[in-house]
């Protein structure tokens, strides 16, 4: 998907680009390789460990500016207010976050039940589970994880925490597994705690509301002809991105019973269909199997002219 991202961004040598989810810099390196001396790359991440990597690897490059924070803050970052030729958002948790037990994202590694992408902000998963009501926990598991056993899991969490605080990832993973029905012999299934961990992580980090705000901010910051590239890893994220692009690219369906609305003026156009990782990438990165890339282009005052791909 790396090559597809670079192609989708259509990088100009003197362009200004924002990587709103730096992670460990895989995409940032690709953008920098394509930029000339007059180009600029703006890097954002709310994870302090990611920012430390960015400072170490790119801090001395005069083309690079680095800011710790969520991509929802890009409207308040003065460096990003001069107009952008491309914005990249690679959503979800990064591989380093999953691989470090101390971050609390993985049910496969015992560690503190944290799950915050920014460990200095908000409450941890353990703190939320200690105070949330049974109905709230069940709603989060269902709405963000589509977990069919959400009510049973929530009820068990509330009962268990009355006996002992739930502070470790292994505790939560074991608790969820204990109430899940057993799979059929020989049937390959995901770990029983997968959906619950995903749902709690999304809730703790406000990922879906941040995505909506971040898309609006990116749309406002893009210059005509600029590209928005978003990589999603589950259907909830992808649905938000798909609807966002469609809302700005296509006129809403009319209703003959209502007064005629003002003429719709598109401000985005979708670039191709949703794209997925090919077999070569999946062989080297199995986590990319659920990744979906969508790309859109910002239109200018004359959408018909921009639709041809000219700038």
């Amino acid at each position: 998907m790396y090559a597809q991202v670079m192609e989708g961004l259509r990088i100009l040598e003197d362009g200004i680009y924002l990587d709103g989810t730096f992670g460990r810099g895989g995409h940032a390196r690709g953008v920098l390789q394509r930029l000339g001396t007059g180009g600029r790359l703006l890097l954002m991440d709310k994870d302090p460990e990611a920012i430390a990597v960015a400072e170490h690897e790119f801090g001395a490059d005069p083309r690079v500016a680095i800011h710790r924070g969520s991509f929802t803050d890009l409207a308040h970052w003065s460096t990003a207010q001069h107009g952008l030729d491309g914005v990249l958002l690679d959503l979800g948790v990064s591989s380093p976050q999953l691989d470090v037990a101390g971050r609390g994202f993985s049910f496969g590694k015992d560690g503190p039940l944290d799950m915050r992408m920014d460990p200095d902000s908000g409450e941890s998963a353990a703190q939320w589970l200690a105070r949330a009501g049974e109905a709230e926990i069940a709603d989060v598991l269902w709405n963000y994880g589509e977990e069919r056993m959400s009510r049973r899991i929530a009820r068990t969490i509330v009962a268990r925490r009355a006996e002992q605080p739930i502070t470790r990832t292994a505790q939560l993973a074991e608790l969820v597994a204990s109430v899940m029905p057993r799979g059929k012999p020989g049937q390959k299934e995901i770990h029983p705690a997968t959906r619950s961990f995903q749902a709690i992580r999304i809730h703790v980090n406000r990922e879906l509301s941040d995505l909506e705000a971040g898309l609006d901010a990116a749309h406002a910051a893009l210059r005509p002809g600029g590209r928005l590239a978003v990589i999603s890893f589950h259907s909830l994220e992808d649905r938000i991105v798909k609807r966002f692009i469609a809302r700005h690219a296509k006129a809403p369906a009319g209703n003959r019973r209502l007064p005629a609305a003002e003429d719709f003026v598109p401000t985005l156009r979708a670039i191709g269909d949703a794209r997925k990782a090919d077999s070569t990438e999946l062989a080297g990165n199995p986590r990319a199997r659920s990744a979906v890339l969508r790309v859109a282009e910002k239109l200018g005052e004359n959408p018909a002219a921009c639709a041809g791909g000219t700038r």
Side-chain angles (χ1 to χ4, degrees):
M1 187 156 288
Y2 167 84
Q4 297 181 69
V5 170
M6 295 299 113
E7 176 187 351
L9 286 174
R10 195 183 56 182
I11 298 163
L12 307 171
E13 286 191 0
D14 59 348
I16 303 176
Y17 296 86
L18 171 78
D19 183 345
T21 48
F22 174 78
R24 291 301 180 268
H27 293 114
R29 295 182 189 93
V31 173
L32 275 174
Q33 288 173 2
R34 292 162 174 78
L35 288 180
T37 55
R40 291 278 281 165
L41 176 60
L42 316 183
L43 303 177
M44 297 185 77
D45 206 298
K46 53 186 177 181
D47 186 334
E49 295 180 9
I51 291 299
V53 173
E55 294 282 4
H56 176 73
E57 292 199 26
F58 304 114
D61 193 322
R63 299 171 298 170
V64 175
I66 302 169
H67 175 74
R68 180 184 172 189
S70 168
F71 51 71
T72 61
D73 299 331
L74 79 89
H76 306 292
W77 186 14
S78 59
T79 309
Q81 293 176 359
H82 303 294
L84 302 174
D85 295 294
V87 174
L88 168 64
L89 304 178
D90 188 354
L91 306 175
V93 63
S94 68
S95 293
Q97 289 168 333
L98 280 173
D99 293 338
V100 177
R103 299 301 300 272
F105 287 101
S106 176
F107 47 76
K109 299 179 175 67
D110 184 36
L113 188 58
D114 195 309
M115 294 195 191
R116 288 173 296 176
M117 294 179 182
D118 180 353
D120 300 324
S121 177
E123 61 182 351
S124 68
Q127 290 170 329
W128 177 70
L129 286 176
R131 67 158 184 83
E134 181 179 325
E136 181 183 354
I137 296 172
D139 285 347
V140 165
L141 297 181
W142 172 253
N143 291 327
Y144 298 152
E146 299 177 320
E147 174 52 71
R148 293 177 299 168
M149 307 299 292
S150 59
R151 294 184 184 277
R152 183 183 295 183
I153 294 170
R155 187 164 55 250
T156 305
I157 286 173
V158 171
R160 186 75 61 85
R161 77 187 185 192
E163 302 170 356
Q164 181 183 18
I166 302 170
T167 60
R168 307 286 297 182
T169 55
Q171 278 181 285
L172 181 59
E174 180 276 327
L175 181 154
V176 173
S178 71
V179 301
M180 297 290 281
R182 293 185 179 181
K184 298 178 180 179
Q187 182 180 12
K188 185 178 181 180
E189 293 188 347
I190 63 173
H191 190 284
T194 299
R195 294 186 181 90
S196 294
F197 268 65
Q198 170 188 293
I200 295 169
R201 187 203 82 215
I202 289 173
H203 175 73
V204 166
N205 292 288
R206 306 176 305 278
E207 292 179 39
L208 300 188
S209 59
D210 277 8
L211 173 57
E212 292 174 340
L215 290 172
D216 285 335
H219 179 266
L222 282 170
R223 295 169 172 167
R227 294 286 181 90
L228 170 67
V230 186
I231 304 173
S232 306
F233 285 86
H234 58 76
S235 60
L236 296 175
E237 293 173 335
D238 183 55
R239 192 176 304 136
I240 290 173
V241 178
K242 180 180 179 180
R243 290 176 176 173
F244 176 84
I245 294 173
R247 185 167 72 251
H248 291 281
K250 301 176 183 177
N255 187 331
R256 63 183 181 181
R257 298 179 180 177
L258 297 175
E262 296 182 5
D263 290 341
F264 174 77
V265 179
T267 55
L268 289 177
R269 74 177 180 102
I271 304 298
D273 298 323
R275 312 171 202 188
K276 296 189 176 182
D278 58 27
S279 57
T280 301
E281 181 170 2
L282 289 176
N285 181 19
R287 288 175 178 167
R289 66 185 179 278
S290 58
V292 177
L293 169 66
R294 293 187 186 272
V295 179
E297 181 179 296
K298 180 76 173 285
L299 300 179
E301 295 181 0
N302 185 352
C306 288
T310 58
R311 299 190 72 244

